[in-house]
């Protein structure tokens, strides 16, 4: 028997916050057969609804290497017939880019980048991003401290952190 749409949505919500949870536990949580849960997950992966399973890492506790993250607001000229998609496709291919969003408001694109140093991020902006023909202007914001990411609060006691991320 297949998992219902309601249970599928519940499964997606659980996996979004707890991607490593075992399928037997998921099956119990959803009151479903474990094979049905596995098949549902496979279907969601095949349909590109589940794109990946990841972990949120507090890199400040792992390494002493410098790590810089920045958000860059980008104003672009949309291209005829393709709008913002063509310039977004070019930007997303840069290895420094970790996320890219089309936005409403003053700027068109929000580009998240990571690098080793502020100078490295600045070189990316001046040598790669700003040189694209469609890019009119950029504003770079360097992340100073991470308080919360994907629903997880940093620098908090473990028992409190689990309470926050529960669906």
């Amino acid at each position: 028997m297949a998992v219902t749409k309601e249970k599928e949505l519940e499964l997606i919500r659980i996996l979004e916050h707890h991607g490593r949870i075992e399928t037997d536990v998921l099956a119990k949580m959803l009151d479903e057969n474990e094979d049905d849960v596995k098949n549902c997950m496979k279907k969601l992966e095949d349909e590109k609804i589940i794109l990946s399973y990841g972990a949120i890492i507090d890199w400040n506790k792992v390494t002493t290497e410098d790590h810089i993250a920045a958000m860059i607001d980008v104003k672009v000229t949309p291209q005829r017939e393709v709008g913002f998609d063509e310039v977004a496709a070019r930007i997303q291919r840069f290895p420094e880019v970790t996320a890219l969003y089309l936005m409403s408001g003053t700027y068109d694109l929000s580009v998240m980048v990571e690098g080793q140093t502020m100078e490295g991020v600045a070189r990316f902006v001046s040598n790669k991003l700003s040189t694209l023909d469609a890019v009119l202007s950029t504003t770079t914001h360097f992340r100073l401290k991470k308080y919360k990411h994907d629903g997880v609060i940093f620098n908090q006691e473990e028992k409190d952190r689990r309470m926050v991320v529960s669906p």
Side-chain angles (χ1 to χ4, degrees), residues 43-117:
K43 175 181 143 298
L44 294 168
E45 292 165 359
D46 291 345
E47 292 175 355
K48 304 291 187 228
I49 293 170
I50 295 176
L51 300 175
S52 74
Y53 299 89
I56 298 173
I57 310 297
D58 186 346
W59 285 104
N60 292 327
K61 293 180 179 178
V62 175
T63 181
T64 57
E65 291 180 18
D66 287 336
H67 179 80
I68 301 294
M71 178 183 71
I72 306 166
D73 297 325
V74 183
K75 185 175 281 222
V76 300
T77 303
Q79 305 299 305
R80 185 176 306 240
E81 310 269 331
V82 294
F84 298 101
D85 292 344
E86 188 174 297
V87 68
R90 291 191 64 198
I91 292 170
Q92 72 188 5
R93 286 193 295 264
F94 291 122
E96 298 88 347
V97 175
T98 61
L100 176 61
Y101 306 98
L102 178 62
M103 306 295 289
S104 64
T106 305
Y107 290 90
D108 304 305
L109 299 173
S110 182
V111 183
M112 308 303 170
V113 299
E114 292 183 356
Q116 294 290 321
T117 64

